[in-house]
Amino acid sequence: GQNIDQPTEMTATEGAIVQINCTYQTSGFNGLFWYQQHAGEAPTFLSYNVLDGLEEKGRFSSFLSRSKGYSYLLLKELQMKDSASYLCAVGRNRDDKIIFGKGTRLHILP
Amino acid sequence: DGGITQSPKYLFRKEGQNVTLSCEQNLNHDAMYWYRQDPGQGLRLIYYSQIVNDFQKGDIAEGYSVSREKKESFPLTVTSAQKNPTAFYLCASSIDWGPSGGNIQYFGAGTRLSVL
């Protein structure tokens, strides 16, 4: 089966750091993606992890632990424009599909 | 500029009516996808196409139909058999099929469909 869990909503303050967690269960893991989606807009790609460890890309970093079925997206130096939903998506080996979680809506306070 | 274009942005459907959502890409991608997004839900796969002239049902294909006669076009028809069509519909494309190697999906801006 396939199960992806992320918090529904989070709130953080401008300039701070926030960590958005994603846990998954899948029959055959083939990579994990993070997408950002502003309200009413298209999701845009943020990061991809297939090996354990941390991938850093500017203010955003993504971490993966395959043995724990766990990933997080770390956002530093938060800006108001980071207010969006963050979607965790897992690649599945058996049919090569990508399964999306329900997303975490992040609110940034001034 | 390369990208994916969805039209219209907003669409209204009457009872018993079929409506077609357009999706065009000029990225020269082989694979294309249609997703449905409901409030508080993840993206759910309706149909996908790995290559031109081929398409497969996704997880929620009932009440929908597609065609892939040209590489750049993947229109979705919401038929009258789809009893709950109100949702945000997203089209995506990727260089090829599957998640291997970080095969990124690029999304269009979406079509919001409502029932009159």
Side-chain angles (χ1 to χ4, degrees):
Chain A
Q2 185 90 31
N3 198 38
I4 301 175
D5 288 311
Q6 356 177 188
T8 304
E9 285 190 84
M10 298 181 71
T11 302
T13 305
E14 193 176 13
I17 299 173
V18 71
Q19 177 175 310
I20 303 174
N21 295 326
C22 172
T23 58
Y24 63 88
Q25 295 172 320
T26 183
S27 50
F29 174 81
N30 193 3
L32 188 142
F33 299 79
W34 284 96
Y35 282 83
Q36 179 191 59
Q37 185 181 22
H38 287 99
E41 297 183 10
T44 55
F45 170 78
L46 289 177
S47 68
Y48 170 72
N49 296 69
V50 68
L51 299 176
D52 291 350
L54 188 68
E55 296 274 347
E56 296 186 74
K57 199 185 291 185
R59 294 190 299 114
F60 292 8
S61 303
S62 56
F63 172 83
L64 176 67
S65 168
R66 288 171 296 171
S67 62
K68 295 181 179 176
Y70 168 68
S71 172
Y72 67 72
L73 182 69
L74 191 72
L75 291 73
K76 303 176 187 174
E77 299 167 19
L78 286 170
Q79 302 174 11
M80 297 303 292
K81 66 179 182 179
D82 297 329
S83 290
S85 288
Y86 291 85
L87 311 179
C88 172
V90 176
R92 189 168 67 190
N93 259 338
R94 63 175 170 89
D95 55 9
D96 273 342
K97 286 183 180 174
I98 296 172
I99 309 301
F100 284 83
K102 294 182 179 181
T104 298
R105 199 172 317 125
L106 177 64
H107 305 278
I108 309 296
L109 302 176
Chain B
D1 284 320
I4 301 180
T5 302
Q6 288 188 241
S7 63
K9 193 169 177 65
Y10 299 96
L11 187 59
F12 297 91
R13 193 191 88 167
K14 295 179 182 177
E15 290 281 341
Q17 188 181 42
N18 293 351
V19 292
T20 298
L21 283 61
S22 170
C23 178
E24 303 278 329
Q25 54 99 358
N26 60 4
L27 299 168
N28 201 34
H29 286 173
D30 278 325
M32 296 188 75
Y33 315 78
W34 272 106
Y35 292 95
R36 171 178 172 143
Q37 188 174 38
D38 294 280
Q41 299 292 318
L43 303 183
R44 292 185 290 168
L45 185 64
I46 304 173
Y47 266 97
Y48 62 95
S49 169
Q50 297 186 34
I51 201 161
V52 65
N53 291 322
D54 172 76
F55 53 83
Q56 305 291 334
K57 291 182 179 179
D59 301 316
I60 55 164
E62 187 174 347
Y64 300 97
S65 65
V66 294
S67 62
R68 186 84 188 278
E69 297 172 3
K70 297 187 294 182
K71 186 175 186 177
E72 57 270 21
S73 179
F74 192 41
L76 173 74
T77 297
V78 184
T79 74
S80 56
Q82 172 48 247
K83 297 306 178 189
N84 184 24
T86 297
F88 189 47
Y89 290 86
L90 286 162
C91 177
S93 71
S94 58
I95 292 175
D96 51 32
W97 168 251
S100 295
N103 190 25
I104 300 166
Q105 292 188 23
Y106 296 86
F107 287 82
T111 293
R112 194 165 295 279
L113 176 63
S114 302
V115 176
L116 289 176

